[in-house]
Amino acid sequence: MLLLLIFLAALAALSLGLHWMLEHPGSITLDWGGYHIETSLLVAIAATLGLIALVIIAWAILVSFFQAPTRLAQSSRSRRREKGFQALSRGIIAAGAGHVGAAKKASKEAEKCLAKEPLTFLLKAQVAQLEGDRVGAETAFHEMTLLSETRLLGLRGLHIEAKRRNDAEAAHLFADQAHQLAPVPWAGHALLEHHGSNADWEEARVAIEANLKAKAIDLPTAQRLRAVVETALAMEKQVDSPSEALHLARQAVKRAPTLVPAIALIGRLLARHGDSAKALKLLEKAYAENPHPDIVAAYLDASPSESNAERLARVKKLALAAPKAPESGVIVARAALAARDFAMARRALAPLVAEGQAPTAQICLLMAEVEDAENGPSGPVREWLARGSRAPRDPAWIADGVISRSWAPASPVTGKLDAFVWTTPPEPIRGPAEDARAGIPAAFLTTRQERLLEAAEIDADSGAAE
């Protein structure tokens, strides 16, 4: 609106000026170089404006003439650039689809047209990876690290390639360089895995705080990882510095109240300090909330010098904290078997092996132990062993496919913190001639169970020979 008003005002002023000049005609006389020119004022103004217009046009033509080569070069570069980006688009789509030939052809075309374009290096690296050319891929990723725009992407590619060739030190170096440039999540997680693999818990602590500050992990995750690292430190210090270990374990439980290894460690440390009553009370409360075998083991370790009868009485008290848990029946049966109270052992296991139940491999082996201890080698022993070979597997600590009886702070495969999870292992593929030991890791078998399984294998071999 304002521009329209200004335009109308200028037009009105011009009209008034022309009207005034028409009402006051005048003349202009020019004597120069023997020429005498006399004309009216309006004609002189019009001639001047025309001359100015001719000068402007001539200047524009002259400038265009001299700028023509530059414009042609710019046009050529623009077409070349457009062609390069079209090749990049085709190549990235082909690489994503796994079409190696098309991706490689597009990569060469893009490199020809856009040699310094960051995406060209990325496409080149992808093609090398598709072809299995690790050296070519690393070369492309290295070239990407020389450009500020793609330095992080290049470092990540080098990190991945280093992990593929199992070069842990190189992978850590690239992740550390990336983390110093920008605290990106992948680099922070890689540093944590490296420190976990090397059991460098103090450095892992620093990495957790850096990741939290950079918002690569949220606060609940950081608290859990802190608890895991503090538990690991407590496990290392429990012999030389038990007081410090106890402080660390308590901190871990405050951060992660469900972290069973930390709870069990507190119980053991309190018992070693001579505070068995407090340890038992703590473990009984923990068992009521989470009836876990590690808590049971710590509970039994709290009074190592008691008799079998005394242990049975104490275990029955612990079982009352979680009477419906299968683990309660198992621990009472084991204690009763050690005290040779076979009736008690059978009563404890009866709900777990009743009709309609699916007892696990360990429960079946425990029933075989009871039968063998009470009646000696017999048909029921072999039946329970055979049943155990087909029974569901018992829960265990599992991380990256590794099954372990005991918890560890980090995965033995990748070094990932808090990788071990208490869960049921996947069922093994069973063949037509599965032996009684199938699906039961040797580390989970007691000496008596090993003997029973060996005896069962000998009987099976003898039967096959006959």
Side-chain angles (χ1 to χ4, degrees):
M1 187 66 182
L2 180 60
L3 292 177
L4 179 61
L5 292 175
I6 293 173
F7 173 76
L8 292 176
L11 187 61
L14 180 61
S15 299
L16 289 174
L18 290 174
H19 179 70
W20 182 85
M21 292 180 69
L22 289 173
E23 289 184 348
H24 300 81
S27 61
I28 294 178
T29 303
L30 177 62
D31 290 313
W32 180 69
Y35 293 95
H36 177 79
I37 301 173
E38 184 175 355
T39 184
S40 65
L41 179 60
L42 285 176
V43 173
I45 292 174
T48 303
L49 292 175
L51 181 61
I52 292 172
L54 288 174
V55 170
I56 291 174
I57 292 171
W59 178 256
I61 293 172
L62 188 64
V63 169
S64 298
F65 176 77
F66 284 105
Q67 288 183 345
T70 302
R71 290 182 178 178
L72 287 174
Q74 289 177 345
S75 177
S76 176
R77 285 196 297 269
S78 178
R79 289 195 299 271
R80 188 183 185 89
R81 189 172 179 82
E82 183 179 356
K83 184 179 178 182
F85 277 114
Q86 289 176 353
L88 275 176
S89 179
R90 291 196 309 273
I92 291 174
I93 293 172
H99 196 329
V100 183
K104 187 174 183 179
K105 181 179 178 181
S107 175
K108 289 182 178 179
E109 186 177 347
E111 190 172 6
K112 183 178 178 181
C113 297
L114 299 170
K116 298 298 182 181
E117 177 63 34
L119 287 176
T120 303
F121 295 121
L122 177 60
L123 179 57
K124 184 178 177 182
Q126 287 181 327
V127 170
Q129 287 178 326
L130 287 172
E131 291 183 321
D133 182 6
R134 301 299 177 206
V135 175
E138 290 187 16
T139 301
F141 285 127
H142 176 71
E143 290 174 343
M144 292 170 70
T145 62
L146 302 179
L147 301 174
S148 59
E149 309 98 296
T150 56
R151 185 166 293 133
L152 276 175
L153 184 56
L155 287 171
R156 185 172 192 184
L158 290 172
H159 170 76
I160 292 172
E161 291 300 324
K163 291 191 72 174
R164 283 177 176 170
R165 66 173 185 269
N166 295 321
D167 190 345
E169 290 303 320
H172 171 64
L173 176 64
F174 296 132
D176 187 47
Q177 289 179 359
H179 191 71
Q180 291 178 11
L181 288 174
V184 287
W186 71 265
H189 294 157
L191 291 179
L192 282 176
E193 288 184 2
H194 177 78
H195 298 317
S197 296
N198 295 328
D200 192 347
W201 308 123
E202 291 295 348
E203 287 297 325
R205 264 179 152 180
V206 174
I208 291 169
E209 300 307 320
N211 282 339
L212 178 62
K213 185 177 180 181
K215 297 183 179 180
I217 55 176
D218 56 21
L219 183 58
T221 302
Q223 286 289 76
R224 177 74 183 187
L225 293 178
R226 286 167 176 165
V228 169
V229 170
E230 285 165 351
T231 304
L233 286 168
M235 292 169 68
E236 285 187 349
K237 297 175 182 291
Q238 61 181 320
V239 176
D240 298 330
S241 303
S243 298
E244 186 179 356
L246 182 59
H247 173 69
L248 287 167
R250 282 173 168 165
Q251 274 189 327
V253 171
K254 286 181 181 178
R255 299 185 194 277
T258 60
L259 189 57
V260 170
I263 298 171
L265 183 58
I266 292 174
R268 287 191 170 93
L269 290 170
L270 287 173
R272 290 175 195 171
H273 275 81
D275 200 348
S276 297
K278 190 172 183 180
L280 294 176
K281 184 177 180 181
L282 169 74
L283 293 171
E284 286 170 2
K285 181 180 178 182
Y287 184 80
E289 298 173 356
N290 184 5
H292 195 282
D294 287 2
I295 295 176
V296 174
Y299 188 83
L300 297 177
D301 290 344
S303 299
S305 59
E306 63 188 353
S307 66
N308 288 332
E310 291 171 337
R311 173 160 292 194
L312 175 58
R314 194 158 59 87
V315 165
K316 288 168 66 176
K317 180 183 177 183
L318 178 65
L320 290 175
K324 295 183 179 180
E327 186 64 26
S328 296
V330 171
I331 61 175
V332 171
R334 288 190 186 281
L337 181 60
R340 302 194 66 78
D341 188 344
F342 304 120
M344 173 67 71
R346 290 180 183 277
R347 286 197 302 271
L349 292 176
L352 304 179
V353 298
E355 186 176 354
Q357 298 295 319
T360 63
Q362 287 290 349
I363 293 174
C364 293
L365 291 179
L366 188 53
M367 280 298 300
E369 283 189 78
V370 174
E371 290 286 353
D372 181 69
E374 185 176 10
N375 303 316
S378 59
V381 173
R382 290 189 292 273
E383 289 176 9
W384 280 113
L385 291 176
R387 190 172 176 181
S389 69
R390 301 185 299 272
R393 305 178 76 175
D394 294 83
W397 291 109
I398 303 178
D400 296 319
V402 176
I403 302 175
S404 173
R405 177 184 285 273
S406 58
W407 177 85
S411 166
V413 179
T414 63
K416 180 182 177 183
L417 290 178
D418 197 26
F420 275 98
V421 178
W422 182 259
T423 187
T424 303
E427 291 295 326
I429 300 174
R430 300 187 182 279
E434 200 76 35
D435 61 39
R437 196 188 299 265
I440 307 174
F444 290 77
L445 298 173
T446 64
T447 304
R448 181 187 291 271
Q449 290 171 350
E450 284 277 6
R451 181 180 61 79
L452 290 175
L453 289 171
E454 289 173 1
E457 290 173 2
I458 293 171
D459 289 345
D461 292 339
S462 299
E466 292 176 0

